[in-house]
């Protein structure tokens, strides 16, 4: 979604930027955990029943300090409470980014290592150095400004008889589904309007 929300900003920066990702977000509550929340949860692992397990075995359930949710499986939690468990493959990658050995045990983790891991989980810095090839893109920003079109017919307000549809318009949907819908809808409107105009001219 970043390419949709920040398309113009990325283009202005020649697709070179540093982004910060907080992996500890909860879609259900639209909230994220802070570095302090995550650090306290990680520190608790050192004295938990899983202290002797390898850190890479599983990501503990991360939640605000008030919740004691370090279990192997998901438990029911209070409605609205932010809880996060990073998927296994992503967890292993985050451990590598934080410089943590996969065979390291929770009990042996130093406070400095846990602090680095908490920061990586909540403020993971990623460098953008370019964009994918054209074949990987499903929509591009830019085009005819929407304010220059009649939304009922998709006819140009400047040039009568000129109709617009799809990618020629400055529409950049969040996902492919929205872009497909805009293409189909504007195509139908412009096609119908153009057909009606042609029928009037012929008549």
């Amino acid at each position: 979604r970043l390419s949709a929300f920040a398309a113009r900003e990325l283009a202005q920066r020649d697709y070179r930027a540093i982004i910060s990702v907080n992996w500890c977000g909860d879609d259900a509550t639209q909230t994220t955990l802070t570095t302090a929340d995550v650090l306290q949860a990680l520190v608790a692992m050192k004295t938990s029943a899983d202290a002797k397990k390898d850190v890479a075995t599983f990501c503990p359930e991360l939640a605000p300090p008030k919740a004691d949710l370090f279990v192997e499986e998901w438990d029911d939690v209070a409605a609205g409470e932010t809880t996060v468990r990073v998927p296994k493959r992503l967890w292993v990658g985050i451990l590598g980014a934080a410089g943590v050995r996969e065979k390291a045990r929770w009990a042996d983790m130093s406070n400095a290592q846990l602090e680095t891991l908490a920061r990586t989980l909540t403020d993971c810095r990623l460098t953008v150095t370019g964009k994918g090839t054209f074949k990987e893109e499903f929509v591009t920003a830019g085009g005819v400004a929407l304010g220059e079109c009649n939304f009922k017919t998709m006819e140009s307000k400047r040039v009568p008889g000129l109709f617009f549809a799809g990618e020629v318009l400055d529409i950049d949907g969040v996902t492919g589904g929205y872009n497909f819908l805009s293409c189909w809808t504007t195509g139908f409107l412009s096609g119908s309007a153009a057909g009606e105009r042609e029928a009037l001219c012929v008549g």
Side-chain angles (χ1 to χ4, degrees):
R1 295 185 178 184
L2 175 63
S3 61
F5 287 125
R8 289 176 176 78
E9 289 81 354
L10 286 172
Q12 290 171 359
R13 295 172 178 270
D14 193 28
Y15 297 95
R16 297 182 183 280
I18 296 177
I19 61 176
S20 173
V21 179
N22 186 334
W23 299 107
C24 299
D26 183 358
D27 286 338
T29 60
Q30 292 294 299
T31 57
T32 57
L33 297 177
T34 66
T35 301
D37 288 340
V38 173
L39 177 58
Q40 189 160 341
L42 295 178
V43 169
M45 286 298 295
K46 296 182 64 173
T47 56
S48 71
D50 297 313
K52 294 184 178 180
K53 291 186 177 181
D54 291 344
V55 177
T57 302
F58 69 97
C59 171
E61 224 171 62
L62 304 173
K66 64 179 181 179
D68 182 15
L69 299 171
F70 296 106
V71 291
E72 291 281 358
E73 302 294 334
W74 284 98
D75 285 343
D76 293 332
V77 296
E81 185 173 63
T82 302
T83 56
V84 177
R85 173 171 286 173
V86 178
K88 178 68 180 294
R89 290 178 62 185
L90 177 58
W91 175 245
V92 172
I94 289 174
L95 291 177
V100 177
R101 294 182 301 105
E102 291 186 27
K103 293 299 182 181
R105 299 188 308 170
W106 283 108
D108 300 327
M109 292 283 286
S110 67
N111 288 336
Q113 287 177 309
L114 293 176
E115 289 176 4
T116 300
L117 181 55
R119 284 197 302 272
T120 304
L121 281 163
T122 57
D123 185 19
C124 184
R125 300 301 176 94
L126 302 174
T127 302
V128 178
T129 58
K131 63 176 181 176
T133 62
F134 180 76
K135 291 182 180 180
E136 295 174 350
E137 298 172 343
F138 56 80
V139 67
T140 54
V144 178
L146 298 182
E148 297 184 3
C149 302
N150 179 333
F151 285 158
K152 293 183 178 180
T153 62
M154 301 314 297
E155 184 175 14
S156 171
K157 293 180 179 179
R158 294 189 178 188
V159 182
L162 178 62
F163 298 86
F164 304 113
E167 274 283 88
V168 74
L169 295 162
D170 186 12
I171 299 176
D172 186 13
V174 176
T175 65
Y178 291 111
N179 293 300
F180 279 131
L181 180 60
S182 70
C183 286
W184 295 328
T185 303
T186 56
F188 175 81
L189 291 173
S190 61
S192 299
E196 291 178 3
R197 184 183 181 86
E198 179 65 20
L200 290 175
C201 292
V202 173

